[in-house]
Amino acid sequence: MDNPLRVMVTGGAGFLGSHLCDRLLAAGHDVLCVDNFYTSTRRNIVHLLEHPNFELMRHDVTFPLYVEVDRIYNLACPASPIHYQRDPVQTTKTSVHGAINMLGLAKRTGARILQASTSEVYGDPDVHPQPESYWGHVNPVGPRGVYDEAKRFGEALSMAYHHAHDVDVKIARLFNTFGPFLRPADGRAIPNFLVQAMDGKPLTVYGDGSQTRSFCYVDDEVRGILALLESEWVGPMNLGNPDEFTILELAHLVLETTGSSSKIEFEPLPTDDPVQRRPDISLAESVLGWRPEIDLSEGLSRTYE
């Protein structure tokens, strides 16, 4: 590449961040991976440590960071309910103070910044599928509120910096993403089911399994994130797979993929767990020409391997 960019990925040693670092390095950019390893692991990026264009910095984004960069992908934050409820105050600080610090850095350096938001801003939605114009149905004082509301505030901060300081911001509302490098004890449905199936243990389905999710394979998600940051779109954009499955359907597909003889056990549904979740991706299709290419079955096979 004639003019490689200086790119920073916060949360770069996490599941999604490590895949993003891989793709950025493959494109010829200089990559600064920033992570405090609260929920991530060096194993995700150990294969990158000797790359001449890769640098790892152990840093907590709740504290300011003074570096020179052209692009910022702010992915830093625990994404699994198990992790973000373990230390809810730190989760909120990571999303809020982290966004303030990264947006401030973008303002100072003139960098273009992508703020990673989430489908959780829609809460337990009254509108289905969820378009970007839907404002959501979130319980601000429930057990999930520390994550949901902090991400909503991160979006508000991003737009405030854009309007007040002309910061070039992009907001990616990421829906359920899966693939290699997910932590076995992540707490989300796909890693839970895969590990339980491989260990011959019962698959734990919460509620009656009729709640729905839409699962996007990580390669597709990263492709969408990269396209969004390099686009001229400002504001939120859904990035996810619009194919919708019940959790019970997912459990049976995992059993089929792994060939496991595990049984399925049902447990009470957690408080405020959304009943349905599916992105309207018409905006991403029209603006980016993006849509997922890898279906759930193929993605599960790759992740299982």
Side-chain angles (χ1 to χ4, degrees), residues 84-287:
Y84 67 66
Q85 292 175 12
R86 184 168 63 197
D87 190 343
V89 173
Q90 184 62 27
T91 294
T92 306
K93 286 182 177 180
T94 300
S95 287
V96 175
H97 292 298
I100 291 172
N101 289 330
M102 293 307 107
L103 288 161
L105 177 61
K107 176 189 172 186
R108 181 181 67 80
T109 61
R112 180 174 287 192
I113 181 170
L114 181 137
Q115 174 68 23
S117 188
T118 171
S119 61
E120 298 296 331
V121 300
Y122 298 121
D124 189 6
D126 294 323
V127 174
H128 194 72
Q130 294 80 58
E132 290 85 353
S133 58
Y134 176 53
W135 291 353
H137 178 221
V138 174
N139 178 3
V141 295
R144 302 169 72 99
V146 293
Y147 182 72
D148 303 357
E149 292 291 16
K151 286 294 188 179
R152 286 160 68 95
F153 190 55
E155 290 194 11
L157 280 169
S158 298
M159 295 309 296
Y161 269 81
H162 173 68
H163 292 305
H165 302 299
D166 200 30
V167 174
D168 191 356
V169 303
K170 320 293 174 184
I171 299 170
R173 288 180 179 165
L174 308 177
F175 283 66
N176 297 67
T177 309
F178 74 103
F181 295 166
L182 272 173
R183 288 178 56 158
D186 182 82
R188 286 174 282 191
I190 286 180
N192 276 8
F193 287 169
L194 282 172
V195 171
Q196 288 169 341
M198 288 188 285
D199 290 344
K201 297 178 180 178
L203 274 60
T204 305
V205 171
Y206 295 98
D208 61 4
S210 63
Q211 66 272 32
T212 67
R213 295 293 184 272
S214 302
F215 302 98
C216 190
Y217 189 68
V218 65
D219 289 0
D220 285 327
E221 196 75 80
V222 167
R223 188 166 49 83
I225 289 171
L226 291 168
L228 176 56
L229 187 60
E230 296 308 320
S231 76
E232 297 308 311
W233 184 259
V234 174
M237 182 179 288
N238 289 338
L239 294 175
N241 194 317
D243 294 338
E244 186 177 12
F245 294 85
T246 68
I247 297 300
L248 193 56
E249 287 174 331
L250 172 66
H252 285 295
L253 188 55
V254 167
L255 293 177
E256 178 183 326
T257 300
T258 59
S260 173
S261 58
S262 294
K263 306 299 181 184
I264 295 176
E265 288 186 350
F266 296 89
E267 298 288 344
L269 194 66
T271 303
D272 291 338
D273 196 59
V275 173
Q276 54 188 4
R277 184 67 56 74
R278 176 162 71 94
D280 179 338
I281 63 166
S282 55
L283 180 63
E285 289 180 306
S286 63
V287 173

Side-chain angles (χ1 to χ4, degrees), residues 8-13 32-38 40 57-67 72-78 89-105 113-116 151 157:
M8 183 172 73
V9 181
T10 70
L32 172 61
C33 170
V34 176
D35 209 296
N36 68 350
F37 295 98
Y38 177 61
S40 55
M57 178 185 294
R58 187 165 195 144
H59 181 82
D60 188 326
V61 295
T62 62
F63 298 94
L65 184 59
Y66 301 100
V67 293
I72 301 169
Y73 293 88
N74 186 26
L75 274 56
C77 188
V89 173
Q90 184 62 27
T91 294
T92 306
K93 286 182 177 180
T94 300
S95 287
V96 175
H97 292 298
I100 291 172
N101 289 330
M102 293 307 107
L103 288 161
L105 177 61
I113 181 170
L114 181 137
Q115 174 68 23
K151 286 294 188 179
L157 280 169

